[in-house]
Structure formats: structure tokens, C-alpha cells
Amino acid sequence: MSSAPRQIRILALDLGTKEIGYALLEDDMLMRYGVRNFKKRTEKQRKPTVPGIDLVKTYKPDVVILGKLSHPERIGNPMLKKLANRIIQFARKQGTVVHEIESSTARKFLVKDRRPTKMNTAVLVAATYPELSARLPHKGRILWTQKDKYWMNMFDALTLALAYLQKRKRRKAAATYLNFNNKTI
């Protein structure tokens, strides 16, 4: 009797200075998504939690995907560095695998374009998960509103997760192909 392979639970986090976008997937099924605002979270709680760590505690993922701090404004930000390091340390203590992926690399991997924009990638993600289309910035709008920027954090997190999943599927397919070709008949 063969059992079905266990689904992998992935939590992707896009860290920002004001918000953290997140997406939780079980394999390629979107379970939860959203944006956490740092200030609102700490004002409501007597004992503030570290954003991101609370998501790892709550959802208990198998894999945590973090957006790599590669943008010049993000690299030099000590708060973001400290936050990323605390999330990584906590997740690893829980036995969770942690990967850091550059957002621009994830966008290029998904969109297959030389210079994919955040908007093009978000449209592709919303095509995959139609329930997110209401969160997209309005087409034709030159300047994004604060609400548009807010939800783009979630789209960035989901982009990281989808890029990880596609790379993982390609590795599995390549391994299966190699195993199939190496069998003796």
C-alpha cells in the first residue's frame, strides 16, 4: 500500500521596514496570505512579538522563504538585518529549512522576461490565484496608492514561494529523469 506524498508547507516572507508580506502554501495551494503592519501589531499587544516569528510559530512550515536583503536601501538597514537574522535563527531551531531568494531573481524566474516588473509579476500571480485579483493595483494608474504598495508586499512574498516551488519541481523532474535513464533493463 503506497501512501500519498506528504504536502510541503511553505511560508514566504517579504520583509519591509513598515510591513511584512506573507504567503502560506501547501504544495502549490494557497492557504493564507496577507500583510502585517509592524506598528499596529505592537500597539495592540502588551507583549509584542517579532514579526515573522509569530507567523512561523502559528503556521509551523516545513520551509521558510525569505526575500534576500539585496536592494541598497535594505542592505544597510540594521532593523531589517536583525529581523531577518532572528527569523532565520528561530526557524532553524524549530527544524525548519530556510532559503533566501532575491526578489528580482524570483520575478525573472516566474515571468521569463529580461526586466520583469512588480506589476507584471503580480498580474501573473493573480492569474494563478484569481482570488487575489482584487488586491492588484488598478491598471493605468501611474502612481500607486499606499494601499497598492501595502498589498504588493504580499504579492512579493507569493512570488518568492512560487519561484521556490517551480525550482523544486524542476529538480524533482530532473532527478526522476536521471533515475529512469540509469535503470538497467
Side-chain angles (χ1 to χ4, degrees), residues 26-120:
E26 285 194 11
D27 283 336
D28 57 356
M29 192 163 104
L30 183 60
M31 304 303 288
R32 298 257 190 272
Y33 63 89
V35 180
R36 296 270 175 97
N37 186 308
F38 293 160
K39 290 180 183 175
K40 287 182 182 175
R41 296 280 304 161
T42 55
E43 289 171 3
K44 289 179 182 177
Q45 300 170 338
R46 288 185 188 167
K47 197 175 186 184
T49 59
V50 177
I53 288 180
D54 61 339
L55 294 167
V56 174
K57 281 182 185 177
T58 302
Y59 297 126
K60 298 174 182 38
D62 301 308
V63 178
V64 170
I65 309 295
L66 278 175
K68 198 173 208 171
L69 302 177
S70 58
H71 191 275
E73 289 178 15
R74 296 174 130 209
I75 289 174
N77 188 317
M79 183 193 88
L80 285 177
K81 280 184 185 178
K82 185 177 179 180
L83 178 60
N85 288 334
R86 288 182 74 184
I87 292 169
I88 290 167
Q89 288 174 353
F90 179 80
R92 287 187 176 152
K93 281 182 185 175
Q94 303 299 310
T96 305
V97 177
V98 179
H99 294 283
E100 288 184 279
I101 301 174
E102 283 192 35
S103 295
S104 60
T105 304
R107 284 193 295 273
K108 286 177 187 174
F109 189 77
L110 285 181
V111 178
K112 308 285 188 249
D113 193 353
R114 287 186 196 172
R115 300 181 84 184
T117 64
K118 283 188 170 201
M119 185 63 183
N120 291 346

Side-chain angles (χ1 to χ4, degrees), residues 147-166:
K147 185 178 177 182
D148 294 337
K149 291 176 187 176
Y150 179 86
W151 283 108
M152 202 50 73
N153 291 303
M154 180 271 305
F155 280 107
D156 288 345
L158 194 48
T159 298
L160 295 169
L162 291 174
Y164 170 78
L165 275 173
Q166 280 193 6

